[in-house]
């Protein structure tokens, strides 16, 4: 079976499961998206790994695993989403130490959170993408293909870190200096979702 390389498109709030998120993976050489339901903690950990500017004051679980692996010269070479059963994705982490390769089973959300920290590529098999991949049609609200969950009623998912203006509008009244102070406070309080929204408001102003 041929492997298909994936990149992270973003994270969307799940419309079907309270407290859950949909991790959206994108086919590198194609237009299909692979949505995977993940928990709030894993979504936060992945979002933090994507947001290079936000440094938690204490290591998250996946950061701790990265430090532990670095200390013992363990490297994650790649992550493979290798099975889909009853709507549940199964993944393997391909590790290497002293030129000896090991394969470790993992939840897909944990595997991807670690792949980001090790800058390791993410793959799935073509038959899984054929079964669970969807096309996000820019001219239609309908998702084509076998969609395992209802992601959103929008043509593009609502990505964490790029949320709608209404949710970020509460920061519009603050100056850049105040926003930087609030960003530092949010990180110290480990309120990373708020930190991402403040960071986006700062970035929007600096680009403008």
């Amino acid at each position: 079976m041929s492997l298909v390389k994936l990149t992270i498109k973003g994270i969307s709030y799940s419309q079907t499961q309270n407290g859950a998120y949909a991790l959206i993976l994108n086919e590198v050489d194609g237009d299909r998206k692979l949505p995977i339901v993940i928990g709030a903690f894993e979504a936060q950990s992945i979002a933090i790994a994507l947001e290079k500017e936000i440094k938690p004051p204490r290591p998250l679980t996946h950061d701790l695993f990265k430090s532990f692996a670095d200390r013992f010269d363990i490297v994650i070479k790649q992550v493979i989403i290798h099975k889909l059963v009853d709507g549940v994705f199964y993944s393997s982490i391909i590790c290497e130490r002293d030129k000896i390769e090991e394969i470790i089973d993992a939840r897909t959300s944990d595997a991807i959170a670690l792949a980001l920290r090790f800058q390791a590529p993410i793959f799935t098999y073509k038959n899984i993408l054929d079964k669970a991949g969807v096309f996000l049609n820019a001219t239609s609200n309908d998702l084509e293909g076998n969609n395992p969950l209802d992601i959103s009623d929008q043509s593009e998912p609502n990505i964490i870190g790029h949320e709608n203006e209404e949710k970020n509008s509460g920061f519009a009244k603050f100056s850049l200096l105040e926003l930087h102070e609030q960003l530092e406070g949010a990180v110290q309080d480990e309120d990373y979702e708020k930190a991402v929204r403040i960071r986006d408001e700062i970035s929007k102003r600096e680009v403008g």
Side-chain angles (χ1 to χ4, degrees):
M1 291 183 289
S2 59
L3 287 172
V4 179
K5 190 173 183 180
L6 303 169
T7 59
I8 296 176
K9 173 73 174 176
I11 304 174
S12 169
Y13 293 104
S14 173
Q15 303 298 310
T16 60
Q17 298 187 31
N18 290 334
Y21 294 80
L23 172 66
I24 313 298
L25 301 175
N26 194 79
E27 182 183 15
V28 170
D29 296 320
D31 298 321
R32 287 176 294 182
K33 310 293 189 293
L34 188 66
I36 300 173
V37 175
I38 62 176
F41 172 78
E42 292 78 12
Q44 181 186 83
S45 181
I46 290 171
I48 291 298
L50 291 170
E51 301 295 339
K52 305 298 184 183
E53 300 171 18
I54 298 176
K55 302 294 184 185
R58 298 182 300 169
L60 302 180
T61 302
H62 298 108
D63 297 320
L64 177 61
F65 184 98
K66 174 67 163 59
S67 298
F68 182 90
D70 288 344
R71 183 66 59 91
F72 292 96
D73 297 321
I74 300 169
V75 177
I76 290 179
K77 306 295 290 184
Q78 61 183 8
V79 162
I80 299 176
I81 304 169
H82 64 84
K83 187 167 64 172
L84 173 61
V85 178
D86 296 330
V88 178
F89 291 90
Y90 295 80
S91 294
S92 296
I93 299 174
I94 314 302
C95 304
E96 185 178 274
R97 181 173 184 266
D98 295 334
K99 298 183 179 180
I100 299 174
E101 190 173 275
E102 299 285 352
I103 300 176
I104 300 174
D105 287 333
R107 294 190 305 169
T108 297
S109 54
D110 289 328
I112 290 174
L114 291 173
L116 284 170
R117 287 162 170 81
F118 284 86
Q119 298 181 344
I122 302 164
F123 296 94
T124 192
Y125 289 110
K126 182 179 181 299
N127 66 319
I128 293 178
L129 196 57
D130 290 342
K131 182 178 179 181
V134 298
F135 290 94
L136 295 180
N137 191 333
T139 60
S140 171
N141 288 333
D142 296 327
L143 294 177
E144 302 170 9
N146 298 319
N147 185 10
L149 75 156
D150 179 16
I151 302 173
S152 173
D153 60 358
Q154 306 173 25
S155 60
E156 284 288 339
N158 178 27
I159 306 301
I160 287 180
H162 301 275
E163 297 177 300
N164 57 49
E165 293 296 326
E166 182 179 353
K167 192 163 185 179
N168 285 339
S169 61
F171 301 111
K173 61 185 178 182
F174 297 106
S175 68
L176 271 175
L177 178 60
E178 290 171 326
L179 287 173
H180 280 288
E181 291 174 349
Q182 289 193 40
L183 175 60
E184 183 176 349
V187 172
Q188 290 299 320
D189 293 339
E190 301 184 16
D191 188 347
Y192 300 119
E193 184 178 342
K194 180 180 178 182
V196 168
R197 297 203 306 273
I198 296 172
R199 193 292 320 270
D200 277 356
E201 178 67 24
I202 293 172
S203 298
K204 183 175 68 175
R205 294 193 196 183
E206 291 178 342
V207 169

